[in-house]
PDB file of all heavy atoms in Angstrom:
ATOM      1  N   PRO A 138      16.466  29.669 -46.661  1.00 75.00           N
ATOM      2  CA  PRO A 138      16.518  29.199 -48.052  1.00 75.00           C
ATOM      3  C   PRO A 138      15.607  30.065 -48.922  1.00 75.00           C
ATOM      4  O   PRO A 138      14.592  30.561 -48.468  1.00 75.00           O
ATOM      5  CB  PRO A 138      15.982  27.767 -47.957  1.00 75.00           C
ATOM      6  CG  PRO A 138      15.111  27.770 -46.743  1.00 75.00           C
ATOM      7  CD  PRO A 138      15.711  28.784 -45.789  1.00 75.00           C
ATOM      8  N   GLY A 139      15.988  30.265 -50.128  1.00 72.00           N
ATOM      9  CA  GLY A 139      15.164  31.050 -51.042  1.00 72.00           C
ATOM     10  C   GLY A 139      15.723  32.449 -51.231  1.00 72.00           C
ATOM     11  O   GLY A 139      16.801  32.791 -50.750  1.00 72.00           O
ATOM     12  N   THR A 140      14.958  33.271 -51.928  1.00 77.00           N
ATOM     13  CA  THR A 140      15.408  34.619 -52.257  1.00 77.00           C
ATOM     14  C   THR A 140      15.236  35.561 -51.074  1.00 77.00           C
ATOM     15  O   THR A 140      14.498  35.271 -50.133  1.00 77.00           O
ATOM     16  CB  THR A 140      14.601  35.188 -53.444  1.00 77.00           C
ATOM     17  OG1 THR A 140      13.246  35.377 -53.016  1.00 77.00           O
ATOM     18  CG2 THR A 140      14.646  34.268 -54.645  1.00 77.00           C
ATOM     19  N   GLY A 141      15.899  36.692 -51.158  1.00 78.00           N
ATOM     20  CA  GLY A 141      15.758  37.713 -50.125  1.00 78.00           C
ATOM     21  C   GLY A 141      14.333  38.212 -50.017  1.00 78.00           C
ATOM     22  O   GLY A 141      13.838  38.498 -48.928  1.00 78.00           O
ATOM     23  N   GLU A 142      13.663  38.297 -51.140  1.00 86.00           N
ATOM     24  CA  GLU A 142      12.277  38.764 -51.133  1.00 86.00           C
ATOM     25  C   GLU A 142      11.362  37.763 -50.423  1.00 86.00           C
ATOM     26  O   GLU A 142      10.506  38.152 -49.635  1.00 86.00           O
ATOM     27  CB  GLU A 142      11.789  38.988 -52.568  1.00 86.00           C
ATOM     28  CG  GLU A 142      10.392  39.574 -52.654  1.00 86.00           C
ATOM     29  CD  GLU A 142       9.979  39.860 -54.089  1.00 86.00           C
ATOM     30  OE1 GLU A 142      10.781  40.464 -54.821  1.00 86.00           O
ATOM     31  OE2 GLU A 142       8.858  39.473 -54.449  1.00 86.00           O
ATOM     32  N   GLU A 143      11.564  36.470 -50.703  1.00 86.00           N
ATOM     33  CA  GLU A 143      10.766  35.439 -50.020  1.00 86.00           C
ATOM     34  C   GLU A 143      11.020  35.496 -48.513  1.00 86.00           C
ATOM     35  O   GLU A 143      10.091  35.392 -47.717  1.00 86.00           O
ATOM     36  CB  GLU A 143      11.132  34.049 -50.547  1.00 86.00           C
ATOM     37  CG  GLU A 143      10.668  33.786 -51.961  1.00 86.00           C
ATOM     38  CD  GLU A 143      11.253  32.502 -52.524  1.00 86.00           C
ATOM     39  OE1 GLU A 143      12.354  32.085 -52.094  1.00 86.00           O
ATOM     40  OE2 GLU A 143      10.615  31.919 -53.409  1.00 86.00           O
ATOM     41  N   ARG A 144      12.287  35.643 -48.134  1.00 84.00           N
ATOM     42  CA  ARG A 144      12.648  35.730 -46.719  1.00 84.00           C
ATOM     43  C   ARG A 144      11.953  36.920 -46.072  1.00 84.00           C
ATOM     44  O   ARG A 144      11.369  36.804 -45.004  1.00 84.00           O
ATOM     45  CB  ARG A 144      14.163  35.858 -46.559  1.00 84.00           C
ATOM     46  CG  ARG A 144      14.619  36.002 -45.106  1.00 84.00           C
ATOM     47  CD  ARG A 144      16.014  36.550 -44.977  1.00 84.00           C
ATOM     48  NE  ARG A 144      15.989  37.943 -45.400  1.00 84.00           N
ATOM     49  CZ  ARG A 144      17.005  38.565 -45.977  1.00 84.00           C
ATOM     50  NH1 ARG A 144      18.119  37.960 -46.209  1.00 84.00           N
ATOM     51  NH2 ARG A 144      16.892  39.835 -46.323  1.00 84.00           N
ATOM     52  N   ASP A 145      12.014  38.068 -46.727  1.00 86.00           N
ATOM     53  CA  ASP A 145      11.434  39.279 -46.160  1.00 86.00           C
ATOM     54  C   ASP A 145       9.927  39.156 -45.964  1.00 86.00           C
ATOM     55  O   ASP A 145       9.392  39.580 -44.940  1.00 86.00           O
ATOM     56  CB  ASP A 145      11.762  40.489 -47.035  1.00 86.00           C
ATOM     57  CG  ASP A 145      13.232  40.865 -46.990  1.00 86.00           C
ATOM     58  OD1 ASP A 145      13.981  40.298 -46.161  1.00 86.00           O
ATOM     59  OD2 ASP A 145      13.640  41.725 -47.792  1.00 86.00           O
ATOM     60  N   VAL A 146       9.231  38.559 -46.920  1.00 89.00           N
ATOM     61  CA  VAL A 146       7.778  38.370 -46.806  1.00 89.00           C
ATOM     62  C   VAL A 146       7.477  37.421 -45.658  1.00 89.00           C
ATOM     63  O   VAL A 146       6.603  37.685 -44.822  1.00 89.00           O
ATOM     64  CB  VAL A 146       7.172  37.856 -48.134  1.00 89.00           C
ATOM     65  CG1 VAL A 146       5.740  37.396 -47.949  1.00 89.00           C
ATOM     66  CG2 VAL A 146       7.266  38.938 -49.200  1.00 89.00           C
ATOM     67  N   TYR A 147       8.203  36.311 -45.596  1.00 85.00           N
ATOM     68  CA  TYR A 147       7.992  35.328 -44.540  1.00 85.00           C
ATOM     69  C   TYR A 147       8.257  35.936 -43.166  1.00 85.00           C
ATOM     70  O   TYR A 147       7.458  35.790 -42.241  1.00 85.00           O
ATOM     71  CB  TYR A 147       8.899  34.116 -44.773  1.00 85.00           C
ATOM     72  CG  TYR A 147       8.862  33.113 -43.652  1.00 85.00           C
ATOM     73  CD1 TYR A 147       7.817  32.200 -43.554  1.00 85.00           C
ATOM     74  CD2 TYR A 147       9.863  33.086 -42.688  1.00 85.00           C
ATOM     75  CE1 TYR A 147       7.768  31.280 -42.516  1.00 85.00           C
ATOM     76  CE2 TYR A 147       9.822  32.165 -41.651  1.00 85.00           C
ATOM     77  CZ  TYR A 147       8.775  31.265 -41.565  1.00 85.00           C
ATOM     78  OH  TYR A 147       8.730  30.364 -40.542  1.00 85.00           O
ATOM     79  N   LEU A 148       9.364  36.639 -43.019  1.00 87.00           N
ATOM     80  CA  LEU A 148       9.733  37.195 -41.722  1.00 87.00           C
ATOM     81  C   LEU A 148       8.828  38.354 -41.311  1.00 87.00           C
ATOM     82  O   LEU A 148       8.559  38.549 -40.138  1.00 87.00           O
ATOM     83  CB  LEU A 148      11.204  37.614 -41.731  1.00 87.00           C
ATOM     84  CG  LEU A 148      12.183  36.454 -41.902  1.00 87.00           C
ATOM     85  CD1 LEU A 148      13.614  36.966 -41.972  1.00 87.00           C
ATOM     86  CD2 LEU A 148      12.014  35.404 -40.831  1.00 87.00           C
ATOM     87  N   SER A 149       8.336  39.100 -42.285  1.00 88.00           N
ATOM     88  CA  SER A 149       7.376  40.156 -41.980  1.00 88.00           C
ATOM     89  C   SER A 149       6.086  39.538 -41.424  1.00 88.00           C
ATOM     90  O   SER A 149       5.536  40.022 -40.428  1.00 88.00           O
ATOM     91  CB  SER A 149       7.074  40.964 -43.247  1.00 88.00           C
ATOM     92  OG  SER A 149       6.142  41.976 -42.968  1.00 88.00           O
ATOM     93  N   ALA A 150       5.636  38.466 -42.051  1.00 89.00           N
ATOM     94  CA  ALA A 150       4.430  37.778 -41.565  1.00 89.00           C
ATOM     95  C   ALA A 150       4.666  37.175 -40.182  1.00 89.00           C
ATOM     96  O   ALA A 150       3.798  37.247 -39.310  1.00 89.00           O
ATOM     97  CB  ALA A 150       4.005  36.695 -42.569  1.00 89.00           C
ATOM     98  N   LEU A 151       5.840  36.604 -39.968  1.00 87.00           N
ATOM     99  CA  LEU A 151       6.168  36.016 -38.678  1.00 87.00           C
ATOM    100  C   LEU A 151       6.198  37.103 -37.586  1.00 87.00           C
ATOM    101  O   LEU A 151       5.635  36.917 -36.508  1.00 87.00           O
ATOM    102  CB  LEU A 151       7.523  35.299 -38.748  1.00 87.00           C
ATOM    103  CG  LEU A 151       8.002  34.617 -37.464  1.00 87.00           C
ATOM    104  CD1 LEU A 151       7.018  33.562 -36.986  1.00 87.00           C
ATOM    105  CD2 LEU A 151       9.388  34.018 -37.698  1.00 87.00           C
ATOM    106  N   ALA A 152       6.834  38.220 -37.873  1.00 87.00           N
ATOM    107  CA  ALA A 152       6.889  39.321 -36.903  1.00 87.00           C
ATOM    108  C   ALA A 152       5.491  39.842 -36.603  1.00 87.00           C
ATOM    109  O   ALA A 152       5.168  40.134 -35.441  1.00 87.00           O
ATOM    110  CB  ALA A 152       7.778  40.447 -37.431  1.00 87.00           C
TER     111      ALA A 152
END
Side-chain angles (χ1 to χ4, degrees):
T140 67
E142 184 177 312
E143 290 170 333
R144 178 198 69 211
D145 290 352
V146 169
Y147 174 80
L148 295 177
S149 180
L151 180 59

